[in-house]
Amino acid sequence: MEKSPFHESEDSCLFLLSGEKPLFVRKRAEVLDRIGFRHFPKDVAFITNNSENYGYLDHPQTIDKPLVVKSNDRIRVTGWAIRPDHQQQPTLVLLSLADKKSFFANACVTLDSPDVAKALRSNQYSRVRWAVDFSAKNLPIAQTEIKAWVYNPVDNQFVRLRGGARIKVEDEE
């Protein structure tokens, strides 16, 4: 719920919750927090190197050079996410910038993934793909890396998905 460049953007997940300004959702969340209605995990670890594969941020592919976009462009980021050896699979992927331990966007894990199910030899992974579109205007005018994460509630940690996207945002001139 912390403020970010996206905090008043139409791309903010908070707009989806209220249909109004994200400030409305933030104020209501503060009230719920004060009365003890919802307890959020504290001191959540961020795991960047995990021996198990929790998924991949696979588009845009930016191994050789960053994706260059203008500040008014829209960016589409996609991938797949699983919880290995667990029956319950992730429902949400969260995106962060560079080394920040906060998130600016999220994607629901609901898209068809026959390729992943085939590769991992399990129909359990038949709907583990995700995609999210957002505006580049809320990213820094510079080169940055986008990282994708899933939450592992058993170990109270965010686990980074493999891959990442290097994006270079140029000012619109």
Side-chain angles (χ1 to χ4, degrees):
M1 298 297 282
E2 73 180 47
K3 288 189 177 185
S4 74
F6 278 82
H7 77 279
E8 292 295 325
S9 166
E10 67 274 4
D11 292 321
S12 169
C13 61
L14 300 181
F15 259 103
L16 297 174
L17 292 173
S18 70
E20 298 181 31
K21 296 275 185 191
L23 182 61
F24 173 82
V25 177
R26 255 189 212 85
K27 288 185 184 266
R28 296 303 186 268
E30 289 170 8
V31 171
L32 293 175
D33 190 40
R34 276 198 308 272
I35 64 173
F37 182 76
R38 172 94 192 220
H39 299 284
F40 291 99
K42 305 285 187 207
D43 301 321
V44 179
F46 281 72
I47 307 302
T48 57
N49 293 316
N50 195 326
S51 61
E52 293 185 273
N53 187 355
Y54 278 71
Y56 212 91
L57 187 159
D58 56 20
H59 179 81
Q61 291 186 349
T62 57
I63 295 169
D64 296 329
K65 60 182 183 174
L67 174 67
V68 179
V69 297
K70 298 293 184 189
S71 60
N72 66 345
D73 289 344
R74 294 203 57 85
I75 300 169
R76 182 170 183 83
V77 177
T78 67
W80 56 274
I82 64 169
R83 286 192 51 218
D85 301 324
H86 284 79
Q87 197 62 25
Q88 185 178 2
Q89 293 303 303
T91 57
L92 198 63
V93 168
L94 302 160
L95 301 181
S96 69
L97 292 176
D99 291 324
K100 294 188 178 189
K101 292 185 177 181
S102 60
F103 306 108
F104 73 91
N106 65 280
C108 294
V109 182
T110 59
L111 302 177
D112 287 333
S113 54
D115 57 329
V116 178
K118 182 178 179 181
L120 299 178
R121 297 184 185 107
S122 174
N123 286 335
Q124 177 181 5
Y125 305 128
S126 63
R127 296 186 63 83
V128 297
R129 285 204 164 275
W130 55 269
V132 61
D133 295 294
F134 55 88
S135 173
K137 71 182 174 185
N138 296 309
L139 298 177
I141 304 293
Q143 182 173 307
T144 191
E145 184 179 8
I146 296 175
K147 298 175 182 176
W149 306 82
V150 293
Y151 180 64
N152 177 346
V154 173
D155 297 321
N156 191 34
Q157 57 190 209
F158 289 109
V159 180
R160 183 177 172 195
L161 303 185
R162 294 179 179 170
R166 289 184 300 141
I167 309 287
K168 182 178 182 185
V169 179
E170 295 179 342
D171 202 5
E172 198 64 32
E173 290 185 6

